[in-house]
């Protein structure tokens, strides 16, 4: 039996023993083990939700950080103008790449749909052909001996 099976969030002998031992050593450890036994199944979903929220928070920080950068000035007007022009050019290229990616994704979706339609049509043709006998007439579904 592997370790993950022993410590799954359920009322197993191992988890009960760890909970009792936790209460005997230091009561918050026992309480933590009890919480794991009761709410452990929800930890995966909770972890996923926290990770998504954190990713969204940091992504918004990166986006907002990028909008404030062009206002930074070095004091050299020529350099600042060149820098702003380059950042605008790069942003335009990024926008074009995003549009191309969206078009390609739409193209792939359409190819998959067409392939699925072709496979379905082939299935229906083969099904119809299998139900016809040699004379071209339909074969009875239920034949009695």
């Amino acid at each position: 039996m592997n370790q993950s099976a022993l410590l799954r969030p359920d009322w197993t002998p191992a988890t009960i023993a760890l909970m009792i031992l936790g209460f005997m050593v230091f009561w918050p450890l026992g309480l933590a083990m009890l919480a794991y036994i009761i709410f452990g199944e929800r930890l995966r979903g909770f972890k996923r939700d926290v990770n998504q929220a954190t990713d969204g928070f940091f992504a918004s920080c990166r986006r907002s950080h990028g909008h404030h950068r062009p206002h930074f000035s070095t004091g050299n007007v020529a350099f600042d103008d060149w820098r702003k022009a380059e950042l605008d050019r790069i942003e335009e290229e990024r926008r074009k790449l995003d549009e191309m990616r969206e078009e390609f994704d739409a193209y792939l979706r359409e190819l998959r749909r067409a392939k699925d339609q072709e496979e379905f049509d082939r299935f229906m043709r083969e099904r119809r052909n299998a139900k016809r006998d040699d004379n071209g007439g339909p074969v009875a579904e239920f034949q009695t001996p």
Side-chain angles (χ1 to χ4, degrees), residues 127-128 130-132 138-144:
R127 185 171 179 257
R128 261 184 267 130
K131 288 189 176 188
R132 296 191 181 271
V139 174
E141 290 286 327
F142 300 103
Q143 296 179 352
T144 55

Side-chain angles (χ1 to χ4, degrees), residues 24-124:
M24 289 172 40
V25 172
F26 184 57
W27 69 267
L29 291 176
L31 195 59
M33 193 64 200
L34 178 63
Y36 175 72
I37 292 170
I38 295 172
F39 301 110
E41 289 295 325
R42 298 182 195 155
L43 286 177
R44 282 191 192 110
F46 176 73
K47 181 182 175 191
R48 183 184 63 244
D49 294 343
V50 167
N51 285 341
Q52 287 175 348
T54 305
D55 290 345
F57 173 75
F58 285 114
S60 68
C61 287
R62 281 192 299 270
R63 281 192 302 270
S64 67
H65 182 66
H67 292 304
H68 293 297
R69 272 192 120 167
H71 300 297
F72 175 75
S73 174
T74 62
N76 185 323
V77 176
F79 176 78
D80 289 343
D81 289 343
W82 173 82
R83 182 174 177 265
K84 182 181 181 316
E86 286 297 307
L87 288 174
D88 290 344
R89 183 186 61 78
I90 291 170
E91 183 63 28
E92 179 64 24
E93 286 295 318
R94 188 193 59 77
R95 187 188 59 76
K96 287 179 185 177
L97 286 172
D98 287 344
E99 288 175 1
M100 288 172 43
R101 181 182 43 100
E102 289 172 6
E103 290 173 8
F104 184 69
D105 288 345
Y107 175 75
L108 286 179
R109 278 193 303 275
E110 183 60 29
L111 279 179
R112 285 187 204 110
R113 190 203 62 74
K115 181 182 174 193
D116 290 347
Q117 185 66 46
E118 179 185 335
E119 290 174 352
F120 176 74
D121 292 342
R122 185 173 4 114
F123 167 76
M124 292 302 285

